[in-house]
Amino acid sequence: MLSSEKYVDRLFAPDADLARAEEGIRAAGMPDISIASGFGRLLTLLVRMSGAREILEIGALGGYSGICLARGLGDSGRLTSLELRQDYADVAYAHMSAAGLANRVTYRVGDARDSLAELASEGKRFDFFFIDADKEGYPDYLEWALTLANPGAVITADNTLLHGRVCDPSKEGPSVTAMRSFNERLMSDPRLDGTILPAYDGLAVAMVKG
């Protein structure tokens, strides 16, 4: 029997741009850890419905999520994507270019915390955030998102269930501990209204109160 996720995925026609990105990621020997296709479609919808004009992505990998995010932007919208590695950013940019979205994205390469501090010092503010980077950094990235957010901004984050490890009391370790902290903070911070969608590997969705 098909899982509910696979059933829904089969309702959609193949997507040439995203398939190209998946193939390019594998060809480059990069980890096959892009956001699930169902959540990728959701990101596009959330960006479009929120009317976001400035998006901050923390963790570019090979550009799969970047394509999904940029597709939701209007013609004047911009995606700023933070990536630790130059070679990954180059792959991501190639896939964004092939999808016709190169004019909507700017990459900043280096440690995300340094890039986030630079953005804050430059007075940058964003309407939409997508976090999909090192899991131990999620609590810090959430705080930075709140610092850089416009009122009403949407904050999303992938892999919040860590393949069930965060739900298992017997599982410990830095990533699990950090993700539990992130999830609890997302639900309890008075500046946020949020939830976690438990499909695939868990997607956090929150809105910054105005």
Side-chain angles (χ1 to χ4, degrees):
M1 180 183 296
L2 288 176
S3 68
S4 57
E5 288 94 344
K6 289 183 178 179
Y7 166 75
V8 173
D9 288 342
R10 289 191 177 189
L11 297 176
F12 294 88
D15 187 308
D17 293 330
L18 295 179
R20 183 189 305 111
E22 289 181 310
E23 292 167 7
I25 288 167
R26 286 192 291 268
M30 299 165 66
D32 187 14
I33 53 173
S34 298
I35 192 169
S37 59
F39 280 162
R41 288 188 290 270
L42 179 58
L43 287 181
T44 302
L45 287 172
L46 288 173
V47 171
R48 189 171 296 145
M49 289 188 295
S50 70
R53 299 185 62 181
E54 294 286 342
I55 300 175
L56 181 61
E57 175 184 45
I58 304 175
L61 192 64
Y64 187 106
S65 57
I67 292 171
C68 297
L69 292 163
R71 282 176 171 176
L73 287 168
D75 291 339
S76 62
R78 294 290 302 173
L79 168 65
T80 300
S81 185
L82 311 184
E83 174 52 52
L84 177 64
R85 296 177 53 161
Q86 183 67 58
D87 54 339
Y88 283 16
D90 291 342
V91 171
Y93 184 73
H95 293 146
M96 293 287 287
S97 298
L101 298 167
N103 65 327
R104 296 188 185 180
V105 64
T106 300
Y107 292 95
R108 294 200 181 206
V109 177
D111 188 286
R113 292 171 181 82
D114 294 337
S115 296
L116 289 161
E118 291 170 3
L119 290 168
S121 69
E122 294 165 14
K124 301 292 187 181
R125 293 295 182 268
F126 298 90
D127 309 306
F128 197 101
F129 300 82
F130 177 56
I131 303 169
D132 191 9
D134 61 292
K135 307 313 170 192
E136 293 178 38
Y138 269 46
D140 286 344
Y141 300 147
L142 177 58
E143 188 58 40
W144 275 113
L146 286 163
T147 298
L148 295 166
N150 285 319
V154 175
I155 300 173
T156 59
D158 196 22
N159 305 123
T160 56
L161 300 180
L162 292 182
H163 303 289
R165 283 183 288 156
V166 298
C167 313
D168 186 344
S170 70
K171 300 296 184 182
E172 297 295 339
S175 294
V176 174
T177 300
M179 193 59 72
R180 286 178 182 147
S181 176
F182 172 87
N183 292 340
E184 291 162 8
R185 171 73 174 281
L186 193 83
M187 300 307 138
S188 63
D189 194 299
R191 295 170 290 179
L192 293 169
D193 285 322
T195 190
I196 294 174
L197 306 180
Y200 301 101
D201 195 28
L203 184 76
V205 181
M207 178 174 285
V208 179
K209 296 177 182 178

